[in-house]
């Protein structure tokens, strides 16, 4: 990994578990659920723990999302991945809040309808879940399938969005 002049991380206490946010030059590059991180990973060697102005904005927008105020994030993103993965993640930003796409619809959105499995693999490697909403992609039969943060979290995120989209606060 290249070392940049401004590399920071902080922890966000979401209702679904602790999330580590990583900033590289005022762009969000990762948002990992902490318990999902490999034990051997030691980020403190290359990143500095800090609540930079940018990371505070990320935390504020996540607060707004979890309380139903925000439906679309307004953040500079820089996920690290292949050209195909970045294309798939960019398409996820077009899935409307509170709605879902099938993996086939997602593949069709990037003009590659035969790439359904590759879409699933790209979503599994999404380094910025929630903000890049891979939780909104489900099986063609409507079943929840695959989510790096766990199917329980995927179900909770979809329910949160469904509830707030339809104006329910509880």
């Amino acid at each position: 990994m290249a070392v940049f002049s401004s590399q920071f991380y902080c922890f966000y206490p979401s209702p679904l578990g602790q999330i580590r946010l990583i900033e590289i030059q005022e762009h969000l590059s990762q948002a990992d659920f902490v318990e999902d991180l490999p034990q051997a990973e030691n980020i403190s060697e290359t990143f500095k723990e800090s609540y930079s102005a940018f990371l505070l904005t990320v935390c504020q927008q996540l607060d707004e999302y979890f309380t139903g105020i925000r439906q679309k994030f307004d953040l500079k993103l820089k996920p690290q991945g292949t050209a195909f993965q970045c294309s798939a993640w960019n398409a996820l930003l077009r899935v409307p809040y509170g709605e879902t796409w099938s993996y086939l619809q997602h593949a069709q959105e990037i003009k590659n309808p035969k790439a359904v499995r590759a879409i699933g693999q790209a979503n599994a490697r999404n380094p910025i879940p929630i903000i890049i909403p891979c939780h909104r992609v489900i099986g063609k039969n409507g079943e929840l399938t695959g989510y790096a943060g766990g199917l329980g979290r995927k179900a909770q995120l979809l329910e949160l969005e469904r509830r707030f989209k339809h104006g329910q606060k509880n």
Side-chain angles (χ1 to χ4, degrees), residues 44-145:
S44 63
E45 293 176 8
T46 50
F47 290 84
K48 179 180 175 184
E49 185 170 10
S50 171
Y51 284 90
S52 67
F54 177 77
L55 288 175
L56 286 173
T57 298
V58 175
C59 292
Q60 177 186 355
Q61 289 193 21
L62 283 166
D63 283 344
E64 293 167 356
Y65 170 81
F66 282 112
T67 57
I69 297 168
R70 177 173 294 276
Q71 295 186 359
K72 188 172 176 88
F73 291 92
D74 181 25
L75 299 166
K76 292 186 272 183
L77 306 177
K78 188 173 269 182
Q80 304 293 312
T82 67
F84 178 84
Q85 289 169 334
C86 289
S87 172
W89 299 332
N90 190 48
L92 288 169
L93 297 171
R94 295 188 292 275
V95 182
Y97 178 90
E99 296 182 23
T100 57
W101 283 355
S102 69
Y103 288 92
L104 176 59
Q105 287 173 298
H106 188 180
Q108 290 170 331
E109 181 68 18
I110 64 166
K111 311 283 189 264
N112 195 345
K114 294 184 180 190
V116 174
R117 285 185 185 211
I119 285 292
Q121 292 171 346
N123 287 355
R125 290 176 178 79
N126 175 7
I128 311 175
I130 301 173
I131 295 165
I132 298 177
C134 57
H135 61 276
R136 295 180 190 153
V137 180
I138 61 174
K140 66 180 176 183
N141 59 2
E143 289 187 27
L144 299 187
T145 60

Side-chain angles (χ1 to χ4, degrees), residues 33-44:
F33 286 102
V34 175
E35 69 272 11
D36 295 341
L37 298 176
Q39 292 286 16
E41 186 176 13
N42 186 354
I43 192 163
S44 63

